[in-house]
Amino acid sequence: MNRAIGWGAWCGGVLTALMLVVGITNAPASAQVKPGDFITPDNSYKVKDLLPPGAYMRVQHGMSIKVEPTERIDWPQPYTEATEKYSSQTRLTPDHRSLIGYVAGQPFPIIDANDPVAAQKVIWNEVFRPISTDDYDLRWFDCDSVYWGRNKPFFEITDIEIGHYAGYNEVGRTEVEPLPIDPDFNITGRLYEALLYPVLAPATGRGTGILKFRYADPRHDDDTWSWTPGSRRLRRLSYTLSDNPSGGAQSYDPNHYEGWSGKPEDYDFKFLGEKTMLAAIDVHHGVDVRCPTDGGASHCPDPWQLRRLYMLEAKPRPGRYASPLYNREIIYIDSEADFPMFVDMYDRGGELLNSYVSWMNYADRARPDSRIAIYPFKREFGVGSSTVNVQSGFSSVCYHPSLNAPSAESWFINMGAVDREWFTPEAMARAAEGGHGISGD
């Protein structure tokens, strides 16, 4: 499917001029790197204009990049077919904040940079992205907390190991029955359910878990619940906690799982443009590595390639349950994968506070030695992520799956591996008692 930005036939002459200007402007930056280049702090100047500020600071603090040729990222065939079937009936609400008529696939296949609501369309494409449309289950999720530093030895402050990171979509389903909408949606109004449980380590948090419900009603905030096994208590979490990762990997930050997952209606968005930048869209392995040259604060050395990324500014709306911590966030979304590759988060004073980076793998299975979850097409798998507080150097770096995962079967995407029964307080409590999953898997 053509993912290029549509400009409109009326501006052909203007477009030609703009393309020349953009080509001249971008040429020096992209010409600085070529496939085969290896980027370190010593030659980081080559990528200063090809990375967000937060990611560039990572390179200066020791993260390395192997530049490789750009490849095309195709959608799974069922997602493409759903887009062709349903996208023409999807539109924004009159206030340009929510969707009307969405069923499945990508809501808006053509993004016009001159469209005053381009940002809202891009963010809804990100919400209903192709990486996992029906359900997902990542087994053996692991996050370290460290401080970054050039050639700093790895020193682990905390290590959080979790049995399952999973989700179930009620709308936009393309591969697993019920298709394309779960009838439960008409009863609950939930777009999706997500979970993170049970905590396996450290021992002080063993059995802890979290549930999150996202609703289609723009006035209905997320429901987020936690389970504390010691007191056997279910507690509803304040929504304001959903944008507060200040405690590192040990604190729940469900609005920034997989980059950015806030409720779109709670933010004002601005389209900042489309730019060629480096990103780790295909690292060619299913278990990502610990960076040996930045204190373990990222994943490196990994292959990165030049990608076309949409840049959005997200600001919390006054009076909404959006982030109390950030003044604004700049979200960099891959224009083919519809996935956030970077998020730079700015504090209330306008200074860069947190830098998020994604590392992806594009393959027909999560790992080369996987024998169960194998697909007839390539798809994206999130294999690593990291959020670093650039003001303090404190980093939470996550492995999807863990470096010590006991099985090659880690990611189960659109396979019916989880259903709605997983997303209940009772299931979360049983997982805490059983060890790994709701049946003690």
Side-chain angles (χ1 to χ4, degrees), residues 300-412:
C300 83
D302 265 333
W304 292 46
Q305 53 185 265
L306 291 170
R307 307 290 305 168
R308 294 299 291 177
L309 303 185
Y310 295 128
M311 299 181 296
L312 305 184
E313 178 186 74
K315 287 189 172 183
R317 290 178 61 195
R320 303 285 295 195
Y321 285 100
S323 171
L325 186 64
Y326 305 119
N327 170 269
R328 64 190 178 108
E329 303 178 43
I330 307 300
I331 310 168
Y332 300 80
I333 299 173
D334 189 272
S335 62
E336 289 182 341
D338 289 328
F339 198 88
M341 302 307 298
F342 310 97
V343 183
D344 275 359
M345 307 165 222
Y346 293 79
D347 64 21
R348 305 304 293 179
E351 298 297 322
L352 180 60
L353 178 61
N354 287 324
S355 161
Y356 170 90
V357 178
S358 294
W359 284 262
M360 313 292 290
N361 184 37
Y362 182 55
D364 66 350
R365 66 199 71 190
R367 293 170 49 167
D369 52 349
S370 297
R371 295 294 179 266
I372 297 177
I374 301 175
Y375 303 88
F377 40 72
K378 287 185 175 182
R379 70 184 325 139
E380 286 285 348
F381 298 89
V383 295
S385 60
S386 172
T387 299
V388 62
N389 183 317
V390 300
Q391 297 179 13
S392 69
F394 184 80
S395 176
S396 298
V397 58
C398 299
Y399 300 83
H400 326 154
S402 167
L403 292 172
N404 302 313
S407 170
E409 310 303 335
S410 51
W411 273 110
F412 294 82

Side-chain angles (χ1 to χ4, degrees), residues 54-124:
Y56 180 64
M57 292 178 69
R58 289 172 178 269
V59 177
Q60 291 180 309
H61 283 80
M63 184 182 77
S64 60
I65 292 174
K66 296 188 295 185
V67 181
E68 67 167 23
T70 300
E71 64 181 309
R72 178 183 174 88
I73 304 298
D74 290 318
W75 298 341
Q77 185 62 29
Y79 185 85
T80 300
E81 293 172 354
T83 300
E84 294 170 348
K85 183 176 182 179
Y86 297 115
S87 63
S88 62
Q89 68 189 53
T90 306
R91 63 188 188 277
L92 293 170
T93 54
D95 65 0
H96 304 145
R97 297 193 183 278
S98 303
L99 293 185
I100 297 175
Y102 178 76
V103 177
Q106 189 184 62
F108 303 106
I110 297 177
I111 300 298
D112 184 344
N114 294 318
D115 187 344
V117 291
Q120 288 79 1
K121 292 180 178 180
V122 170
I123 204 63
W124 279 110

Side-chain angles (χ1 to χ4, degrees), residues 90-154:
T90 306
R91 63 188 188 277
L92 293 170
T93 54
D95 65 0
H96 304 145
R97 297 193 183 278
S98 303
L99 293 185
I100 297 175
Y102 178 76
V103 177
Q106 189 184 62
F108 303 106
I110 297 177
I111 300 298
D112 184 344
N114 294 318
D115 187 344
V117 291
Q120 288 79 1
K121 292 180 178 180
V122 170
I123 204 63
W124 279 110
N125 284 351
E126 186 270 345
V127 170
F128 293 106
R129 57 203 183 203
I131 188 170
S132 56
T133 55
D134 303 18
D135 57 76
Y136 61 89
D137 181 21
L138 168 63
R139 304 181 180 186
W140 315 108
F141 180 77
D142 188 2
C143 292
D144 295 333
S145 290
V146 301
Y147 280 97
W148 70 359
R150 183 175 179 180
N151 295 321
K152 183 178 181 292
F154 175 72

Side-chain angles (χ1 to χ4, degrees), residues 421-433:
E421 293 183 1
W422 281 62
F423 302 87
T424 65
E426 295 78 15
M428 188 160 51
R430 291 200 304 272
E433 297 171 355

